[in-house]
Amino acid sequence: AISASRDKTLKLWDLQSGQELRRYKGHIGRVLCLAIAQWTEYEEGTGDPIQKTYVATGSWDRSCKIWDLDSGSLLHELGGKPDRNTCPNSEGHENAVTDCCFSPDGSVLATGSDDETLRLWNLFTGEEIKVLEGHDNGITSVDYAANGEYILTASLDATLKLWDVSSESGGTRSYFDKKLNTWVNVRVEMATFIGNQDAVYEGRISRDLQTVVSGSKDGTVRIY
């Protein structure tokens, strides 16, 4: 099990014994969210598969960090303090990173922030792929659709938004991912879901892509 805490750390636990196995330190603000991705790499020379597990953490300190779960090493620090930011093409979020999630294939990290933006990052290079704007208040929840083509965000502005991040034509920006050997394109906002009377704290897309569910401060759960 993995836990994130207000004490600015991430911890790995043994579920059977309840013992702490490893502690990950680096954030200078409380850790608000985490996401896990698994990726298969291949041993150089033998070609034997190696299962890698990566963990992303978002924090009050405006940064998102990506860790190698097994070794405990920090791979990328995206945003935050300029002298610690490893992203080659962006200063990152301007406010707390409130939620994060990986694409189903684990290659792209999506982060939402109190700065009202959704940002996409390349797991391997640490580069920022795209900044998506449209909410009128902080983003509280980020959810990738099961097909990897859409992202749903929930916000303090009482709405949810659906974004198309597929590789189809119509993208406003694209980049060639050498590891995936393909062009990655992103597109903008597709739909806005309204009806909540107060902040929306959670939003999820069903696996069949037919339903959106929200949980709100107004005391309701809505199904769209």
Side-chain angles (χ1 to χ4, degrees):
I2 307 171
S3 64
S5 173
R6 294 180 63 175
D7 68 5
K8 309 173 187 177
T9 69
L10 178 72
K11 293 183 180 182
L12 180 65
W13 305 86
D14 185 306
L15 286 178
Q16 292 187 334
S17 67
Q19 296 297 308
E20 178 184 321
L21 300 177
R22 180 176 287 124
R23 185 176 304 190
Y24 307 78
K25 295 182 178 180
H27 282 293
I28 57 175
R30 66 183 68 173
V31 183
L32 302 176
C33 58
L34 65 84
I36 301 173
Q38 291 188 319
W39 189 266
T40 301
E41 298 180 356
Y42 296 90
E43 188 84 39
E44 189 174 348
T46 65
D48 294 335
I50 304 173
Q51 191 71 29
K52 302 289 290 185
T53 302
Y54 300 104
V55 179
T57 53
S59 171
W60 196 265
D61 62 19
R62 299 185 293 110
S63 76
C64 184
K65 298 181 187 295
I66 300 178
W67 313 80
D68 183 315
L69 185 67
D70 299 315
S71 68
S73 61
L74 178 63
L75 302 180
H76 304 295
E77 181 163 352
L78 311 175
K81 296 186 66 176
D83 62 337
R84 299 174 66 171
N85 177 25
T86 62
C87 178
N89 65 340
S90 174
E91 296 180 358
H93 286 292
E94 298 176 2
N95 210 325
V97 180
T98 53
D99 200 18
C100 59
C101 68
F102 283 102
S103 58
D105 68 1
S107 65
V108 177
L109 175 68
T111 57
S113 169
D114 276 340
D115 68 6
E116 305 174 10
T117 68
L118 169 68
R119 294 173 188 255
L120 305 182
W121 312 84
N122 184 306
L123 169 65
F124 305 104
T125 66
E127 291 180 298
E128 183 181 275
I129 302 169
K130 184 67 179 177
V131 181
L132 299 171
E133 299 176 286
H135 281 293
D136 295 323
N137 208 329
I139 292 175
T140 55
S141 173
V142 179
D143 186 38
Y144 246 108
N147 66 358
E149 296 183 0
Y150 309 104
I151 293 176
L152 181 72
T153 53
S155 171
L156 296 174
D157 66 11
T159 71
L160 301 101
K161 291 184 183 292
L162 186 67
W163 311 86
D164 186 335
V165 292
S166 71
S167 58
E168 299 175 3
S169 61
T172 56
R173 182 177 172 186
S174 63
Y175 77 101
F176 188 78
D177 191 312
K178 294 181 179 179
K179 287 187 176 291
L180 299 179
N181 195 34
T182 186
W183 284 93
V184 177
N185 303 298
V186 288
R187 292 197 292 178
V188 294
E189 177 186 337
M190 288 184 62
T192 299
F193 300 88
I194 60 175
N196 288 288
Q197 303 303 305
D198 210 329
V200 183
Y201 289 137
E202 201 69 56
R204 289 291 180 266
I205 312 173
S206 62
R207 291 194 61 81
D208 63 6
L209 311 181
Q210 299 301 306
T211 304
V212 166
V213 180
S214 70
S216 171
K217 187 180 178 181
D218 66 13
T220 66
V221 173
R222 296 176 188 261
I223 301 175
Y224 298 90

